[in-house]
Amino acid sequence: MRTMKLLLQAMAFGILLIAVILTFGSFGVFHPVPWFLFAALIGIPVINNKMEERRYITWKAKYNTGIKDVDTEHMALINLINRLQLAVRYHQGECFEQEALEELVEYTATHFRREEKLMLAHDYPAYKYHKELHDEMTRDVMTHVARFKDEGHTALVDLAPIIAKWLTNHICVEDQAFAEYYLEKEQNKETEQQKVTA
Ligand SMILES: [Fe+2]
Ligand SMILES: [Fe+2]
């Protein structure tokens, strides 16, 4: 499918290139038509590249929670999601896809466990709700893993964008809410200690 798309794009590019040469030859350099075709020839690959870039997540300042370990893990998760997207998008073969999928699933589980442990250690009031969201996401991803075993590549086509959307929303809302609680608690603890030692 992807190879076919690339072939069609190459053909369209070739046709456009020939059209540019022919129209410059027939109309001359002062006619707008060859210039319009020339702009399309240059612009289409640029737009294509931009669209391709949008398929991958890049780290944004709004994802910073202020908890160093949590942020490091979120960055690692984003890298793994991008790796899965790359493997699926370029059809790198089911072996690569499986490796990328397994690593993402394992690391997600590790991250969820660590985050939940931190919440429990700090008596986070919304722990149960937050854990439910983690569990729900894990169940959804495991459905795709099971489908991948039966259907192969097809089961993963939409998975990376789904996880990416879920993760970035989750970081911005629920993880940030926990970070706010955690950092405030840590700050209060520090103030209390300073009072004792003063
Ligand atoms: Fe979380
Ligand atoms: Fe998280």
Side-chain angles (χ1 to χ4, degrees):
M1 188 72 182
R2 171 95 189 136
T3 320
M4 181 63 89
K5 203 178 163 194
L6 285 173
L7 198 70
L8 286 173
Q9 278 173 353
M11 275 170 66
F13 189 81
I15 292 168
L16 209 51
L17 182 66
I18 293 167
V20 168
I21 296 167
L22 290 176
T23 49
F24 266 124
S26 324
F27 296 107
V29 289
F30 297 108
H31 200 280
V33 171
W35 286 109
F36 175 76
L37 291 173
F38 182 70
L41 187 73
I42 303 292
I44 288 170
V46 174
I47 294 168
N48 221 17
N49 278 348
K50 285 274 165 220
M51 282 170 72
E52 187 64 28
E53 274 172 30
R54 287 173 66 131
R55 293 178 199 279
Y56 303 93
I57 334 172
T58 47
W59 184 261
K60 291 187 178 77
K62 65 177 177 180
Y63 302 151
N64 272 318
T65 61
I67 309 173
K68 200 170 164 269
D69 290 345
V70 171
D71 289 338
T72 308
E73 287 175 19
H74 286 161
M75 281 179 203
L77 275 174
I78 284 177
N79 282 337
L80 290 171
I81 293 169
N82 285 338
R83 193 180 144 201
L84 177 66
Q85 174 72 337
L86 196 74
V88 175
R89 179 117 185 93
Y90 288 92
H91 228 313
Q92 291 178 339
E94 283 185 7
C95 192
F96 282 101
E97 289 173 346
Q98 188 174 350
E99 213 179 280
L101 179 66
E102 278 173 2
E103 244 187 275
L104 176 60
V105 168
E106 273 170 35
Y107 197 81
T108 305
T110 306
H111 168 65
F112 284 172
R113 264 200 314 270
R114 284 184 187 152
E115 217 174 66
E116 288 159 13
K117 215 171 146 190
L118 199 62
M119 286 174 194
L120 278 177
H122 288 80
D123 303 314
Y124 183 47
Y127 162 78
K128 212 171 157 228
Y129 169 70
H130 200 123
K131 189 184 181 320
E132 265 168 29
L133 294 176
H134 286 173
D135 291 347
E136 203 179 302
M137 185 55 187
T138 306
R139 276 195 300 273
D140 278 358
V141 173
M142 293 319 284
T143 313
H144 279 84
V145 173
R147 270 188 57 210
F148 177 66
K149 282 178 188 152
D150 296 334
E151 301 166 25
H153 172 82
T154 326
L156 301 183
V157 172
D158 298 323
L159 185 59
I162 290 173
I163 302 179
K165 196 170 176 221
W166 183 89
L167 181 72
T168 48
N169 283 340
H170 181 78
I171 291 174
C172 290
V173 181
E174 283 86 16
D175 285 353
Q176 289 292 11
F178 168 62
E180 203 177 309
Y181 169 86
Y182 171 91
L183 294 171
E184 199 185 317
K185 218 173 170 192
E186 287 295 293
Q187 183 61 50
N188 290 342
K189 209 159 68 181
E190 214 173 286
T191 315
E192 287 303 314
Q193 273 168 357
Q194 278 168 357
K195 274 186 200 164
V196 171
T197 50

